Amino acid sequence: MLNILRKDYGEYVKGFFKISLDIELEEGFSINQMTTEELATFVHEYIHFLQNITTTYGAAYFNDNSSFIQLFVSEAYKCKKKIPFPFLEEKCGIENAYEEMELRSFYLGDSEHKKIHHINEVRVENDEIMESIITNENLELVNIYYDDKKTPYTFGATCIEESMAYLIESEKFSGICRTNELPYNSCELVCKSLCPKLVERKDIIVALAEISLMHFNCGVMFVELLKMIKRENINFKSTNEVAVSLKKYIPHLFEDYKQVFCETAERIDFLYPQNTPFENINDWLKRVLNKGYTYRNQYCNLIARMMDLIKERCKEYFVFLTNEFGFPALCDRNNNIFSIGCDMGLALVPIAIFNEFKSSETQCYLYEYCKAGELPNVNENCIFAPWLQSEKNTLCPFAMFWYHYSLSGKIMEKN
């Protein structure tokens, strides 16, 4: 299923560069026109976009999405007429496909929203189920035991991404304050258990979260950083000091980032093929990821730096980041898609393709957006069988992708 990072009034579709806001937007809208509540929500979701394009974990997640869709398309191409649903990685015959999908879920951890009373214990534990699937690795995860329950909440990438965005939003943009809520307060709660002196240092927590996203197993990385800080009794004055002090300990993480980044161009070329209507998205995404890579190698606290600034300066810095990186596909409550410089509506096509192979939803992901945009030839096929549009003279966005990869004439066998 899609991994969606949610907030009360917005969401970010991770790995697919889409922000949705439960507000009405108009062409030429400005951040300065947003209410305090709207801006706080937008900041939260935009931070997820920055996490996606400037960290090892975020870029790797995009690469994985592209790889899985490429696998889906490759297997679909082999089918004579009917493409079976759902697509099962363990039965596709491609080496390690199932293991890779399971490993990605493992690193994500839990995402369910929970209001809890207290933490009993935070433990780093081996996962026997995952180690039975991937037998040559020592796979650890961070488990939060809470409210005297036996079943823990797994502290992974989702917790870190949500905690980081929440703390910036609430501390610097007057967002809603939360207490003992998972995943939003998870980094604070883990600190309270393992390194209590950092509980009031929200800035340092955000900086550690950002560095942790440079590791594939973010939850374990965050805990290891806390243990080192406690063991060596380190006291940081700012996020910049965290970045300068810790960067010397993690050169291997930047080597991982370099390797992941070098794979992104090929992944982009598959999802958004050149010499097609998708090429503007291709160019945009390559520019954004390249800029993210450059900035990340200069600043470990690229995002966390906002915590060092007073609120007014913080907003200025946030506007600077939006000017540098632009907007992903930005959708409002009326399913209008806003973009600058290119048709970002086409950026949503891979989401629709992914959903056709993996989601039990019957309606095409793009249908409401195509209808809101008044695209020509929107009909019933667009709702339940968008692949049939590839046989029309005028191709819808979904059909463009389906046709480009020679899947015309093939149908999804859905009940």
Side-chain angles (χ1 to χ4, degrees), residues 32 39 171-174 306 308-320:
N32 292 325
L39 179 59
E171 293 290 314
K172 296 299 178 179
F173 291 89
S174 303
M306 283 188 267
D308 292 339
L309 305 173
I310 61 173
K311 286 188 176 182
E312 184 177 330
R313 292 293 307 281
C314 186
K315 184 177 179 181
E316 291 175 4
Y317 182 62
F318 177 73
V319 171
F320 164 78

Side-chain angles (χ1 to χ4, degrees), residues 132-399:
S132 70
I133 296 172
I134 303 175
T135 56
N136 59 343
E137 290 190 40
N138 178 34
L139 294 171
E140 295 180 323
L141 48 71
V142 178
N143 282 327
I144 299 174
Y145 290 87
Y146 65 97
D147 294 353
D148 305 323
K149 297 179 184 292
K150 291 183 179 180
T151 302
Y153 192 96
T154 301
F155 176 80
T158 299
C159 281
I160 290 173
E161 289 168 319
E162 290 289 17
S163 289
M164 185 177 161
Y166 159 71
L167 284 170
I168 294 173
E169 167 212 356
S170 61
E171 293 290 314
K172 296 299 178 179
F173 291 89
S174 303
I176 298 170
C177 290
R178 303 174 184 268
T179 304
N180 288 359
E181 292 186 42
L182 299 173
Y184 302 106
N185 300 119
S186 56
C187 283
E188 296 167 85
L189 292 168
V190 169
C191 283
K192 186 176 182 180
S193 177
L194 300 181
C195 191
K197 74 175 186 176
L198 287 183
V199 170
E200 300 304 320
R201 294 300 307 273
K202 314 296 188 188
D203 55 337
I204 307 304
I205 294 174
V206 171
L208 296 176
E210 185 166 8
I211 289 175
S212 297
L213 289 173
M214 298 305 292
H215 197 283
F216 296 110
N217 196 342
C218 315
V220 171
M221 183 68 194
F222 186 81
V223 167
E224 291 302 314
L225 290 173
L226 290 182
K227 288 180 177 179
M228 183 183 71
I229 290 169
K230 183 177 182 180
R231 183 175 61 249
E232 299 183 16
N233 194 28
I234 303 174
N235 293 298
F236 296 114
K237 296 178 181 178
S238 66
T239 71
N240 192 56
E241 193 171 302
V242 174
V244 172
S245 299
L246 295 186
K247 190 169 183 178
K248 62 186 176 185
Y249 293 105
I250 54 173
H252 59 292
L253 301 188
F254 283 82
E255 286 301 313
D256 289 341
Y257 184 38
K258 181 179 180 180
Q259 181 177 342
V260 168
F261 171 74
C262 288
E263 296 173 4
T264 58
E266 181 181 349
R267 306 303 185 194
I268 292 169
D269 286 341
F270 172 76
L271 276 192
Y272 311 103
Q274 291 280 20
N275 302 315
T276 73
F278 296 94
E279 64 182 348
N280 287 336
I281 304 295
N282 184 305
D283 294 340
W284 168 80
L285 190 51
K286 284 178 180 175
R287 285 197 307 272
V288 166
L289 283 166
N290 185 66
K291 187 170 287 190
Y293 181 76
T294 300
Y295 268 110
R296 176 59 62 196
N297 278 282
Q298 293 176 355
Y299 307 106
C300 272
N301 63 331
L302 175 66
I303 306 170
R305 182 172 181 265
M306 283 188 267
M307 298 295 284
D308 292 339
L309 305 173
I310 61 173
K311 286 188 176 182
E312 184 177 330
R313 292 293 307 281
C314 186
K315 184 177 179 181
E316 291 175 4
Y317 182 62
F318 177 73
V319 171
F320 164 78
L321 291 174
T322 63
N323 289 335
E324 285 293 290
F325 293 102
F327 295 149
L330 185 59
C331 307
D332 73 358
R333 65 163 59 131
N334 296 321
N335 298 314
N336 296 309
I337 303 172
F338 296 84
S339 52
I340 297 175
C342 59
D343 180 6
M344 293 303 294
L346 292 177
L348 306 189
V349 173
I351 305 179
I353 300 295
F354 185 92
N355 266 5
E356 289 301 329
F357 285 96
K358 295 298 293 181
S359 173
S360 58
E361 295 179 12
T362 56
Q363 180 170 302
C364 175
Y365 188 88
L366 296 171
Y367 174 68
E368 296 296 340
Y369 299 104
C370 291
K371 190 168 66 171
E374 299 181 347
L375 267 64
N377 301 322
V378 176
N379 56 50
E380 190 171 294
N381 286 339
C382 302
I383 307 176
F384 303 114
W387 48 85
L388 295 178
Q389 297 295 86
S390 64
E391 299 174 22
K392 304 292 185 182
N393 291 329
T394 302
L395 300 180
C396 71
F398 183 100

